[in-house]
Amino acid sequence: MTSEVSSPAEQADGTVVGEQRKAAGVKDVRRLDRVIIRFAGDSGDGMQLTGDRFTSETASFGNDLSTLPNFPAEIRAPAGTLPGVSSFQLHFADHDILTPGDAPNVLVAMNPAALKANVDDLPRGAEIIVNTDEFTKRAMQKVGYGSSPLEDGSLDGYHLHPVPLTTLTVEALKEFDLSRKEAERSKNMFALGLLSWMYNRPTEGTEKFLTSKFAKKPEIAAANIAAFRAGWNFGETTEDFAVSYEIAPATTAFPVGTYRNISGNLALSYGLVAASRQADLPLFLGSYPITPASDILHELSRHKNFGVRTFQAEDEIAGIGAALGAAFGGSLAVTTTSGPGVALKSETIGLAVSLELPLLVIDIQRGGPSTGLPTKTEQADLLQAMYGRNGEAPVPVIAPRTPADCFDAAVEAARIALTYRTPVMLLSDGYLANGSEPWRIPELDELPDLRVQFAQGPNHTLDDGTETFWPYKRDPQTLARPWAIPGTPGLEHRIGGIEKQDGTGNISYDPANHEFMVRTRQAKIDGIDVPDIEVDDPHGARTLVLGWGSTYGPITAAVRRLRTAGESIAQAHLRHLNPFPRNLGEVLKAYDKVVIPEMNLGQLATLVRAKYLVDARSYNQVNGMPFKAEQLATALKEAIDG
């Protein structure tokens, strides 16, 4: 664990105070500045729910936090096997943090598979809480344990806490009219209660949550609450846990405001609703369920009161087709998917480029190719977003950097789409989608005005004086064409995928017109107003680390480590990937070395090297997991010294 801070009394005479507390029957409370906890168990053990509840209580307490849910792609992997292990990691602190942490200080292992799958990630001295009831001979043999790791000395380097979680849970619930199997399902709540005691987490929110979640089954709600309280009481009374820990609220980490815990997909959903309200347009989502994007469809379906309409289509092509139709009809149109779905949607995205209609295409990236790793994260769709269409079909591309930043990225994507009449690709990923952190709820006056002016009447005068409507007559500043709502008198015009004549929108096969339209569409994207990239360089470094998307947290944490160690390194992070910020070339050429860490094989590095002719170096990882700060710090130190 991290450095410990004693109370003034303990600092004066820690031994005496400790003995006095023991004599009084009061357990020691030790103050920490941060801790990393990982809950791990079988897919059916409720580890994600346990982690979510611990996170919610931690957020309400005021700590800064970052989470990493990690679960199998199979709907129900074989019980007790390594592929079936589900885990949830939470890093929380009394100061500003950026990642879920490199290595857990505490592992809660609900069975042998959970222990075996995670023990190698633990530093020496870490605490391990194991459910001893599950360490049967058969269960251990299933994952390759020849002898019990609880008895053979292999865990001697850790602080091991053997707890019969299942037995204790069943005993705590014996007064309820539940079968043993039903009672055993509450063991995750017992574990949650124990950890809540260990780290002085609030309990009221969890009890209210359980009452609400099982409102139609009050007996189940009462049983879960009883198990939760029993876990808390066990921590308070057992001699095995002699110390509890306190991590103070992160009072200096946050600007003044109202905060809530939020995941990336939830932040995206709220950002889309906010954008539709700021644009005064109905929000339409046409989507086909796909991991890890489905949560956006689930969330938006709950907000009909804000004018949101969701359509769960029969496939990816139908989803984007309906969304593009909604855009033609005057809605803020969105389609959500992951990498394989983007491939299926590519023809309709090209149609949207040709029609020049606003459309948000949200890609929650995951490991590929093909079906790949549905529940694991990756950043490997950047080149697909840039070039994955036939013909010259340029599309703006933006990427959020943290779960909370997904809100702002959604609003920014809507701004670009509505202002420039173009489809926009937003690249999030599984790490951001499922991870969570505190989010400051913005004030209404902090949000941009996104209202648009629809075409109302004729906009062109012919040589003979006749007034008519030209659907491809452009705004001289943005090069956007007019947005005409179907059914508006006098604004009849053709749409379709065949090339349009400039201005009139009539079908045209003229070579010169085609080249003009291709170059005009490209110029429209190139001319999008995006902010300059900001560089964090307090010491005049010679090496720049450039990132995009969800690498922001690990990169920033690594940069902090290096600077603390006395190294000089600069950092910049891209939100806008097409077009790039106008000052990016100048920034890159100001440094002797440029390092680009990516969770792919070097896609941004390829683009940067091609456009700016700089010798950008890639540092790549494609293992389905986010970078670790220590790993990046080592790689960046080698770059500085190399």
Side-chain angles (χ1 to χ4, degrees):
M1 291 191 183
T2 55
S3 59
E4 299 172 1
V5 180
S6 302
S7 69
E10 289 171 327
Q11 289 172 359
D13 190 344
T15 303
V16 173
V17 171
E19 293 301 324
Q20 290 173 344
R21 291 174 63 86
K22 289 177 182 177
V26 179
K27 294 189 177 183
D28 285 340
V29 178
R30 197 169 298 168
R31 292 191 65 184
L32 306 174
D33 58 9
R34 68 185 183 99
V35 72
I36 303 166
I37 299 173
R38 183 181 296 176
F39 298 93
D42 195 68
S43 292
D45 285 338
M47 293 297 94
Q48 302 304 319
L49 175 61
T50 304
D52 282 341
R53 288 314 313 159
F54 197 93
T55 300
S56 295
E57 298 296 2
T58 297
S60 69
F61 188 73
N63 296 118
D64 195 11
L65 61 89
S66 180
T67 69
L68 178 62
N70 187 15
F71 40 87
E74 291 83 357
I75 293 175
R76 189 65 178 92
T81 63
L82 292 174
V85 173
S86 175
S87 68
F88 188 105
Q89 183 163 307
L90 167 67
H91 181 192
F92 61 102
D94 65 1
H95 57 276
D96 176 35
I97 58 173
L98 297 154
T99 74
D102 288 357
N105 307 120
V106 181
L107 171 66
V108 179
M110 303 297 280
N111 61 17
L115 177 64
K116 181 141 193 183
N118 293 281
V119 70
D120 289 343
D121 292 339
L122 302 179
R124 286 313 212 186
E127 295 194 64
I128 303 176
I129 301 171
V130 295
N131 179 14
T132 55
D133 289 325
E134 294 297 323
F135 279 72
T136 63
K137 184 176 181 180
R138 181 180 179 187
M140 289 187 289
Q141 288 177 341
K142 188 181 290 188
V143 296
Y145 280 128
S147 60
S148 172
L150 309 184
E151 301 170 354
D152 63 9
S154 60
L155 301 178
D156 286 350
Y158 308 99
H159 295 299
L160 180 65
H161 301 280
V163 180
L165 286 171
T166 305
T167 300
L168 290 171
T169 302
V170 172
E171 179 66 20
L173 302 184
K174 62 183 180 180
E175 65 184 73
F176 293 88
D177 186 21
L178 299 174
S179 66
R180 180 179 176 85
K181 186 176 182 180
E182 290 173 327
E184 288 178 358
R185 289 175 183 158
S186 296
K187 63 181 180 289
N188 64 323
M189 288 297 105
F190 189 101
L192 178 59
L194 173 57
L195 269 292
S196 297
W197 172 83
M198 283 183 66
Y199 291 96
N200 285 277
R201 298 296 90 185
T203 60
E204 295 83 0
T206 293
E207 294 193 7
K208 289 180 180 177
F209 167 81
L210 292 170
T211 301
S212 173
K213 180 177 177 63
F214 299 107
K216 296 182 179 179
K217 298 179 179 179
E219 180 82 355
I220 300 298
N224 277 280
I225 291 171
F228 176 67
R229 291 175 178 173
W232 176 282
N233 293 333
F234 178 77
E236 182 71 26
T237 57
T238 184
E239 294 182 1
D240 192 33
F241 294 91
V243 178
S244 66
Y245 302 95
E246 181 179 282
I247 295 90
T251 52
T252 61
F254 307 118
V256 175
T258 302
Y259 286 81
R260 61 154 295 164
N261 185 51
I262 201 165
S263 68
N265 275 352
L266 185 57
L268 261 174
S269 302
Y270 287 176
L272 294 171
V273 174
S276 75
R277 303 295 284 183
Q278 292 301 104
D280 196 23
L281 296 174
L283 178 66
F284 179 88
L285 173 67
S287 182
Y288 179 74
I290 183 172
T291 302
S294 300
D295 287 342
I296 302 173
L297 171 62
H298 301 159
E299 181 61 33
L300 288 180
S301 67
R302 300 170 181 165
H303 297 291
K304 296 180 177 63
N305 56 312
F306 287 117
V308 179
R309 295 294 178 267
T310 54
F311 169 55
Q312 181 173 320
E314 66 268 26
D315 57 39
E316 296 281 4
I317 298 171
I320 190 173
L324 185 57
F328 179 61
S331 293
L332 176 59
V334 184
T335 189
T336 53
T337 189
S338 190
V342 175
L344 292 168
K345 295 178 189 291
S346 62
E347 184 177 5
T348 307
I349 297 172
L351 176 59
V353 171
S354 175
L355 297 181
E356 300 188 45
L357 286 171
L359 174 67
L360 304 187
V361 181
I362 296 176
D363 176 8
I364 314 297
Q365 300 166 96
R366 72 189 203 191
S370 188
T371 308
L373 306 173
T375 61
K376 310 301 179 184
T377 195
E378 206 164 272
Q379 285 184 297
D381 294 348
L382 177 56
L383 294 182
Q384 178 178 222
M386 291 286 290
Y387 303 119
R389 294 162 294 282
N390 64 297
E392 295 288 344
V395 167
V397 181
I398 72 171
R401 62 187 189 178
T402 68
D405 188 49
C406 288
F407 177 92
D408 294 323
V411 174
E412 172 67 357
R415 178 191 72 84
I416 293 172
L418 295 171
T419 303
Y420 296 91
R421 310 288 197 269
T422 177
V424 176
M425 292 282 292
L426 188 153
L427 297 180
S428 179
D429 60 42
Y431 173 38
L432 296 183
N434 297 317
S436 61
E437 66 177 353
W439 170 59
R440 187 181 71 84
I441 302 172
E443 300 294 335
L444 191 59
D445 58 9
E446 295 174 357
L447 299 176
D449 184 350
L450 301 180
R451 287 174 293 183
V452 297
Q453 184 65 47
F454 291 112
Q456 300 296 321
N459 63 357
H460 184 75
T461 303
L462 300 176
D463 292 341
D464 62 4
T466 304
E467 292 188 338
T468 187
F469 174 67
W470 275 16
Y472 282 83
K473 187 169 186 175
R474 301 181 183 278
D475 181 288
Q477 298 298 320
T478 64
L479 298 183
R481 77 172 186 89
W483 194 1
I485 300 298
T488 306
L491 303 189
E492 297 85 356
H493 60 282
R494 291 188 179 92
I495 62 167
I498 297 179
E499 185 61 281
K500 315 293 188 299
Q501 184 182 51
D502 177 44
T504 68
N506 295 332
I507 292 174
S508 173
Y509 294 98
D510 178 63
N513 176 78
H514 175 58
E515 176 148 348
F516 178 81
M517 293 295 279
V518 166
R519 292 185 180 276
T520 299
R521 287 189 289 261
Q522 184 65 58
K524 181 174 70 169
I525 303 307
D526 292 341
I528 291 173
D529 181 25
V530 304
D532 284 348
I533 191 169
E534 297 180 359
V535 182
D536 176 22
D537 185 7
H539 305 118
R542 295 174 54 241
T543 301
L544 171 73
V545 54
L546 178 69
W548 71 277
S550 67
T551 57
Y552 173 78
I555 288 175
T556 306
V559 166
R560 287 182 181 179
R561 292 188 183 200
L562 290 171
R563 289 177 181 170
T564 300
E567 300 291 341
S568 180
I569 187 168
Q571 178 187 2
H573 207 79
L574 286 166
R575 163 174 282 179
H576 296 87
L577 297 153
N578 192 34
F580 285 131
R582 283 169 177 74
N583 69 331
L584 180 57
E586 299 172 8
V587 166
L588 295 173
K589 290 173 182 176
Y591 292 90
D592 296 340
K593 302 172 186 175
V594 177
V595 182
I596 304 179
E598 300 179 77
M599 293 187 293
N600 56 46
L601 294 183
Q603 297 188 14
L604 175 61
T606 297
L607 296 173
V608 165
R609 291 171 68 95
K611 184 173 179 64
Y612 299 107
L613 303 180
V614 298
D615 186 21
R617 307 181 188 182
S618 285
Y619 182 74
N620 308 115
Q621 172 179 296
V622 281
N623 62 5
M625 298 294 289
F627 284 112
K628 293 182 177 180
E630 182 179 2
Q631 163 196 3
L632 274 181
T634 300
L636 295 176
K637 178 67 167 63
E638 292 174 355
I640 293 171
D641 296 339

